[in-house]
Amino acid sequence: MDSVREWIRRLWGALHPSRGDRDLEQELQSHLEFAAEEARRRNSDDAARNARVAAGGLSQAMDAVRDQRGVPWLDDMQRDVRYALRGLARNPGFTAVAALTLALGIGVTTAIFSVVYGVLLRPLPYADPDRLMAIFEVNSKGRPVRLAAPNFDDFRAQSRSFQAMAMYTLPYPKSVSGAAQPTRTMVAAVSPDFLSVLGVQPIIGRDFNASDAHKGASPTALVSYGYWRQHLESSHDLSGTHLKIDRTTFSVIGVLPSAFHFPADVDLWLPADLEGESLSRTSHNYSAVARLAEGVTVEQANRDISTIARRIHDTSNEQGTSLLVDGRVIPLQDSITGKARSALLLLLGAVGFLLLVACANVANLLLAQAAVRERELAVRSALGAGRGRLIRQFVTEAFLLVLIGGSLGVMGAVWGVDGLVELAPSDLPRLDSIGINVPVLAFACLVSTGVAVGLGALTAVRATSGDLRDDLVNGARGQTGSQRSQRIGRLIVAAQMAITLVLTVGAGLLGRSLMKVLQVNPGFRVDRILSMDVSLPSVDPAAKPGQARFFATLIDRLETIPGVRAVGATCDLPLNGGHPDGLFALLGRNDMPKTMTDLRALFQQQDRLGTADFCVATDGYFKALAIPLMRGRVFDPRDDADAPHVAVITQALARDRWPNQDPIGRTIEFGNMDGDLRPLTIIGIVGDTHEYGLDVPPRPTVYVSLFQRPRAAMSLTMLTDADTQQVTSAARGILKQLDAEIPATFRTFSQVYSASLGSRRFNVILIGFFGITALVLAMTGVFGVMAYSVSRRRREIGVRLALGAARGDILRMILSQGMRTIAIGVATGIGGALALTRTVGSLLFGVTPTDPLTFAGVTLFLVSTALVACYLPARRATRVDPMVALRDG
Amino acid sequence: VANKEPAKADVLHGTLDLMLLQTVAALGPLHGYSIAARLEQVSGGALQINMGTLYPGLMRLEQRGLVRSEWSVTETSRKARFYTITAAGRRQLAAEKAEWARMTAIMHTLLHNLG
């Protein structure tokens, strides 16, 4: 009890020194006076001095009392912090470089960790997420695949490892009307217990129940929070809310929580059984999610499911390669993050490495700093500062540096994570759960603390090893230890240079590829094009002529919008995934296939076959996108539904299939693309277009007319001089007049163009970022090591100068020493880059992995930057005053 | 600045508190110097306690609530801080005295009867 009270008072004393130093000193003074008085009484000569000797020194006693008064380390810490702050402020350049280096390292690590945490580690936002499992069939190739409905039913009925099991389809797009605006929305069909397996409740309304899934039940739907906010006006009364999908009306019965995104991107959930269940054991239509029963492990569940799966395999009458051979249970979180895991961990490893390099640099800087302060350390040591005390001083400085650097870094990370999420490939799962949150901040603190302790301890032990008091006497210190640490420092710098070179070469190659890609002529106009995706309800094949009429009217009306110069339509926009492709057959004059048998016979004759992409378009499409007509003609009003069907082909097809011949007038059979067996007569040749991406060669393509071969989903392309917003709203109005239930999506073609370069740009930015970070670190590394070396060699430089060396000689000497290290690094780096760039060969376009221009440019750039980093310390070396250097060491 | 000089203080640690408490308890309010002088006198010069030991010890006792102190004036009209034992201090003193007696008795028995 007493000692507890003592420590409370000590703490209090440390924070509120009620008995101030003056009070203590007065007490001690009075003690000395009493002693002197008594000594005088005994007739001593030098009474005051004797008294002091007898009583012990005043200042030492003061220290001892002070220690008893407060908490010694707390007091010391205050003093250390004050002292360290003074030190950092005295050297703003050093402080800035060290803090920014740490900020870079900690910031980048934090940013990447936030992604890793959000995607891989953060628990799924469902009840007891670690009990949730995904269930797969295993196919004959040993790969997990989705489930066939009867297999799912058997798993659910026969397994004993799960509390509950639900199934759901992959998301698919549907035209949804009935809300404020018709939309193209991702829909998933789920079994009625889907939400209860996940442990999620609608925030408004009710969950599905078993009767919603019965045949003949009135159709119901659940909507996402986002859809509800955006399209249902956040209405809390759902009783009158209905949505129409393919002419079926669904009552909206509930709204899901805002954090619920499963399966990803879905805004509308429908009960699965209404979809019409397939009885085949080989149609893999469903995914399954299940909750483990109490006390069951993943392994037990796996064995359970595997047994059932093998039994199905052995007894089913649907034998063949599509039938399952086994079953597998995987934790749901792993199944969602599966593919991203290794890439993200690799990335985290890479930034962890950058952080280490940053630390090595700062350690070098701190050592250089410590070398300058050697004398000061020696003096403090002589005045009685213990080694522990000096070490604590170093650790305090390191903590302050890390505090500054870490705060800057975390601030940078907060800003950078948004950019990272924006840039990240959209197939990265769980993007919405990435952010700077408490666990990420805790991680940043942990990393920073580790860095601070490591840096402080390393520097302190290095700087205070050996007897500092000897240094004061000798004015120099043994060189062996410092030479070893300098060698390590140089090794680190050379390694950094090598890594930087590899990364920068990689970034250079990818960057040059991107530039080459941008130089490719796509074969069509990119600017001033506004596209409008329209999907008609696709229920009835007999509706096809209606679809053609609808689009014809729509195109006519769109052409009347002020500022719109041309309107066309295509089934697939270029750079947006490409067209379907297939086999076509060349027809002679008299062999029109009348039956399927004729057709099959035709496709047996290899010499009559050809391969091409198939695209439905209108004449306006070529005009709007400025795809040039090479020969013949494009579609015109003569080519209506009743006229002979015609086709326009691309130069690539003409070249491939009819070299040195004229394809115009020839007839082909391409009916397997849209089921229409009527032959197509070639009427014209147009220029090639890069449909699949600028870096993919143009493909042979057959264009057919929308008015002869109608389709439900088309992209309308408008060439416009007017403001995009105005044209968009005018077009929306026109569509609404024609049919209020059809949704449209608008994009400018520049967006499509830019998105098609997305992953290439992401790669350049990512590796470029790593390259720049590595470059900055390597340069601070060079700077730190050279500064350390120069401060170590001041005495030697002083001697050289005193013996008549010119300042230029000193500059050359230091520079050449630095350049040796750099040369080793660069040489290693070139070797590494030559070996490694081959692996990114598939990402390159128009440059070889050993592109001499890139290699030379990057090497020149790195060496010259490194020269600058060497020059600054070297210049300081030339300013050494020989007198001062020789006197002070 | 050195604050960890354990050798001297630790040897005295256990007994110093007891000596200080006993002196203050027996002789009433005393200032630091007279406590040290009294201890030196009683021990025949064997105990010379310097300021660096004495005052931290007194402060420790005060922090534990065993003594309290205030500035006052001596007979010779000098200002000094006087230490007085508290009720808790008397209890602690009694307990430590008993413990000390028990310990010395054990040591006495040990040293004389096992010889």
Side-chain angles (χ1 to χ4, degrees):
Chain A
M1 269 304 289
D2 279 356
S3 61
V4 173
R5 189 191 297 177
E6 178 189 334
W7 277 103
I8 292 171
R9 295 203 177 194
R10 274 172 173 244
L11 254 173
W12 181 255
L15 301 172
H16 305 268
S18 60
R19 283 187 66 180
D21 279 6
R22 272 197 50 159
D23 186 286
L24 292 176
E25 206 169 327
Q26 268 174 15
E27 188 174 9
L28 297 183
Q29 278 296 352
S30 78
H31 183 109
L32 288 176
E33 280 162 26
F34 285 126
E37 208 169 289
E38 182 151 342
R40 262 200 304 282
R41 243 181 286 145
R42 289 181 192 164
N43 248 341
S44 187
D45 292 339
D46 195 349
R49 185 176 176 277
N50 285 348
R52 195 170 300 134
V53 169
L58 178 68
S59 67
Q60 265 153 310
M62 271 299 285
D63 277 347
V65 185
R66 261 195 222 111
D67 281 356
Q68 177 64 35
R69 177 182 58 186
V71 184
W73 54 261
L74 207 64
D75 286 352
D76 286 350
M77 205 168 84
Q78 285 178 359
R79 238 170 304 158
D80 284 344
V81 167
R82 256 199 310 273
Y83 194 81
L85 279 176
R86 266 208 303 272
L88 293 179
R90 215 175 18 234
N91 248 321
F94 156 80
T95 308
V97 170
L100 286 178
T101 306
L102 287 172
L104 197 61
I106 293 174
V108 173
T109 312
T110 305
I112 296 295
F113 179 78
S114 74
V115 177
V116 170
Y117 177 77
V119 176
L120 298 184
L121 302 178
R122 190 178 200 166
L124 296 170
Y126 315 128
D128 264 335
D130 49 336
R131 308 294 291 164
L132 285 174
M133 299 291 137
I135 302 176
F136 294 94
E137 294 181 5
V138 176
N139 67 10
S140 53
K141 289 180 188 133
R143 298 266 279 278
V145 292
R146 296 187 309 129
L147 282 74
N151 297 341
F152 171 84
D153 290 342
D154 286 356
F155 284 163
R156 176 153 66 177
Q158 296 169 22
S159 71
R160 306 192 165 277
S161 311
F162 301 97
Q163 283 175 29
M165 198 183 284
M167 64 182 187
Y168 56 97
T169 61
L170 283 185
Y172 47 88
K174 280 285 182 189
S175 296
V176 178
S177 58
Q181 225 167 49
T183 54
R184 200 73 181 153
T185 297
M186 296 306 274
V187 178
V190 302
S191 58
D193 50 356
F194 177 70
L195 288 182
S196 62
V197 168
L198 294 173
V200 172
Q201 290 284 327
I203 53 166
I204 297 172
R206 64 171 179 90
D207 191 359
F208 293 128
N209 56 39
S211 63
D212 290 320
H214 287 324
K215 294 261 183 282
S218 75
T220 48
L222 290 167
V223 296
S224 73
Y225 186 80
Y227 188 89
W228 176 67
R229 289 291 300 270
Q230 211 184 332
H231 301 292
L232 300 180
E233 290 153 351
S234 307
S235 159
H236 284 260
D237 178 20
L238 298 173
S239 59
T241 312
H242 298 285
L243 294 175
K244 246 167 103 179
I245 304 170
D246 285 346
R247 309 223 161 113
T248 309
T249 305
F250 293 78
S251 330
V252 176
I253 57 165
V255 179
L256 294 183
S258 60
F260 189 79
H261 304 282
F262 188 70
D265 303 330
V266 167
D267 279 320
L268 214 56
W269 292 262
L270 309 176
D273 287 359
L274 287 180
E275 290 289 306
E277 198 169 312
S278 161
L279 291 176
S280 158
R281 287 194 184 273
T282 53
S283 344
H284 306 276
N285 291 330
Y286 294 99
S287 304
V289 58
R291 185 174 286 281
L292 282 181
E294 211 64 48
V296 175
T297 65
V298 182
E299 292 75 36
Q300 287 166 340
N302 239 319
R303 275 197 298 277
D304 190 7
I305 287 296
S306 181
T307 313
I308 302 167
R310 287 196 205 135
R311 193 159 53 224
I312 297 172
H313 172 79
D314 294 342
T315 56
S316 169
N317 51 12
E318 291 184 63
Q319 295 298 329
T321 49
S322 335
L323 187 66
L324 81 176
V325 298
D326 204 345
R328 190 172 297 164
V329 176
I330 301 171
L332 182 63
Q333 179 147 10
D334 294 354
S335 84
I336 292 175
T337 57
K339 272 176 265 172
R341 173 173 290 268
S342 54
L344 281 179
L345 291 181
L346 188 75
L347 207 58
L348 188 64
V351 294
F353 188 72
L354 280 185
L355 179 64
L356 268 184
V357 170
C359 289
N361 285 346
V362 175
N364 267 331
L365 284 170
L366 284 171
L367 279 175
Q369 225 10 50
V372 174
R373 282 166 47 185
E374 215 156 66
R375 248 182 106 73
E376 168 210 324
L377 290 178
V379 170
R380 290 188 68 191
S381 166
L383 289 178
R387 183 151 176 240
R389 195 73 186 63
L390 291 181
I391 289 181
R392 222 158 45 200
Q393 178 68 51
F394 277 106
V395 174
T396 309
E397 282 189 22
F399 260 101
L400 279 180
L401 265 182
V402 172
L403 192 69
I404 301 171
S407 315
L408 287 176
V410 169
M411 281 192 283
V414 169
W415 169 80
V417 162
D418 291 340
L420 211 58
V421 169
E422 207 132 286
L423 276 175
S426 55
D427 57 348
L428 187 68
R430 306 187 68 196
L431 268 178
D432 54 296
S433 94
I434 296 170
I436 300 288
N437 41 36
V438 174
V440 172
L441 287 178
F443 172 84
C445 284
L446 202 73
V447 165
S448 304
T449 312
V451 167
V453 170
L455 275 182
L458 180 89
T459 331
V461 170
R462 273 244 166 272
T464 61
S465 63
D467 193 336
L468 288 164
R469 272 169 254 208
D470 284 353
D471 292 352
L472 198 57
V473 177
N474 298 333
R477 55 184 298 188
Q479 291 286 314
T480 41
S482 74
Q483 266 175 11
R484 197 179 61 221
S485 75
Q486 280 196 50
R487 240 197 321 271
I488 295 172
R490 278 192 214 148
L491 206 67
I492 292 173
V493 166
Q496 280 174 252
M497 289 297 296
I499 293 164
T500 308
L501 193 121
V502 172
L503 283 171
T504 324
V505 164
L509 289 174
L510 289 178
R512 261 172 70 77
S513 300
L514 180 61
M515 285 192 308
K516 295 251 172 168
V517 169
L518 289 175
Q519 283 163 11
V520 168
N521 173 13
F524 48 81
R525 170 195 284 281
V526 174
D527 59 322
R528 298 198 293 145
I529 299 282
L530 179 67
S531 80
M532 173 185 186
D533 299 340
V534 175
S535 277
L536 308 180
S538 54
V539 275
D540 192 0
K544 284 207 161 193
Q547 290 171 352
R549 275 197 303 279
F550 181 89
F551 282 117
T553 320
L554 182 58
I555 289 170
D556 285 348
R557 300 261 182 103
L558 290 177
E559 276 171 341
T560 64
I561 298 175
V564 171
R565 299 269 164 270
V567 180
T570 174
C571 56
D572 307 285
L573 282 179
L575 304 179
N576 202 26
H579 305 299
D581 64 344
L583 280 178
F584 63 86
L586 204 55
L587 296 180
R589 222 164 272 289
N590 297 318
D591 45 13
M592 296 292 159
K594 299 275 187 307
T595 64
M596 286 308 282
T597 326
D598 293 351
L599 195 67
R600 247 178 250 124
L602 190 64
F603 276 87
Q604 294 303 320
Q605 305 172 38
Q606 291 296 331
D607 58 325
R608 287 180 160 228
L609 299 184
T611 311
D613 287 1
F614 181 80
C615 177
V616 180
T618 67
D619 54 331
Y621 174 69
F622 303 108
K623 197 169 149 206
L625 262 66
I627 299 172
L629 176 66
M630 299 307 186
R631 278 170 43 68
R633 64 173 181 94
V634 294
F635 313 122
D636 63 29
R638 280 171 287 166
D639 307 314
D640 61 11
D642 304 321
H645 285 195
V646 292
V648 171
I649 64 170
T650 59
Q651 276 182 303
L653 180 58
R655 216 171 26 238
D656 279 11
R657 193 61 191 78
W658 292 280
N660 307 319
Q661 299 168 47
D662 187 3
I664 291 179
R666 291 176 194 262
T667 309
I668 60 169
E669 168 56 55
F670 212 169
N672 60 346
M673 298 310 294
D674 61 354
D676 192 331
L677 293 184
R678 278 173 278 187
L680 299 161
T681 306
I682 297 171
I683 54 169
I685 303 172
V686 294
D688 287 328
T689 53
H690 290 263
E691 294 284 334
Y692 283 77
L694 297 172
D695 44 1
V696 181
R699 312 231 314 177
T701 305
V702 171
Y703 293 98
V704 296
S705 168
L706 171 65
F707 306 116
Q708 295 181 328
R709 303 289 181 100
R711 260 179 62 103
M714 293 295 286
S715 293
L716 290 120
T717 50
M718 291 171 265
L719 172 63
T720 157
D721 299 331
D723 175 60
T724 310
Q725 287 299 328
Q726 285 171 8
V727 177
T728 305
S729 58
R732 220 185 266 288
I734 288 168
L735 181 64
K736 198 167 177 180
Q737 278 172 16
L738 290 178
D739 189 332
E741 290 184 4
I742 295 169
T745 321
F746 291 85
R747 282 176 292 178
T748 65
F749 205 77
S750 344
Q751 286 169 334
V752 178
Y753 179 79
S754 162
S756 79
L757 296 168
S759 76
R760 190 172 278 283
R761 200 181 302 121
F762 180 70
N763 285 339
V764 172
I765 289 175
L766 194 67
I767 193 168
F769 174 77
F770 271 89
I772 289 171
T773 310
L775 178 72
V776 170
L777 290 178
M779 291 315 133
T780 52
V782 170
F783 178 78
V785 158
M786 294 308 294
Y788 184 37
S789 161
V790 165
S791 59
R792 280 255 159 251
R793 295 171 68 180
R794 274 183 71 209
R795 206 179 155 77
E796 176 208 324
I797 294 167
V799 172
R800 284 173 190 269
L801 286 171
L803 291 177
R807 309 250 165 206
D809 297 337
I810 301 294
L811 191 69
R812 258 194 302 283
M813 177 183 83
I814 301 289
L815 281 184
S816 74
Q817 179 205 338
M819 286 327 273
R820 260 202 305 280
T821 310
I822 292 163
I824 294 170
V826 166
T828 320
I830 290 177
L834 284 175
L836 285 174
T837 48
R838 244 177 277 279
T839 59
V840 294
S842 63
L843 297 178
L844 300 183
F845 179 81
V847 289
T848 61
T850 55
D851 181 46
L853 191 64
T854 307
F855 271 75
V858 164
T859 308
L860 197 70
F861 173 63
L862 273 191
V863 170
S864 50
T865 322
L867 254 178
V868 174
C870 283
Y871 176 72
L872 295 175
R875 200 183 52 180
R876 216 174 61 205
T878 65
R879 302 217 174 128
V880 168
D881 180 343
M883 287 313 292
V884 176
L886 289 175
R887 198 174 55 233
D888 296 348
Chain B
V1 197
N3 49 48
K4 291 282 148 61
E5 294 291 346
K8 235 182 279 171
D10 277 358
V11 174
L12 287 171
H13 216 105
T15 53
L16 180 69
D17 286 7
L18 184 54
M19 291 190 290
L20 294 177
L21 268 183
Q22 171 67 19
T23 313
V24 175
L27 301 173
L30 286 176
H31 53 76
Y33 180 77
S34 60
I35 295 173
R38 215 22 103 109
L39 282 172
E40 189 174 343
Q41 186 191 356
V42 168
S43 67
L47 277 174
Q48 294 200 349
I49 301 173
N50 68 28
M51 295 193 300
T53 311
L54 176 67
Y55 287 97
L58 286 171
M59 185 172 269
R60 185 164 57 243
L61 293 180
E62 193 174 3
Q63 285 165 339
R64 290 183 178 177
L66 305 180
V67 300
R68 58 171 180 270
S69 71
E70 56 189 355
W71 283 97
S72 187
V73 186
T74 65
E75 312 92 81
T76 56
S77 301
R78 288 184 173 281
K79 272 188 74 180
R81 187 176 272 276
F82 280 76
Y83 291 83
T84 321
I85 193 159
T86 64
R90 286 191 193 282
R91 280 197 299 277
Q92 176 76 11
L93 178 61
E96 280 194 28
K97 265 171 141 173
E99 177 63 22
W100 181 261
R102 203 173 65 87
M103 203 57 213
T104 45
I106 291 170
M107 289 302 289
H108 189 267
T109 318
L110 185 84
L111 297 175
H112 290 272
N113 294 4
L114 293 179

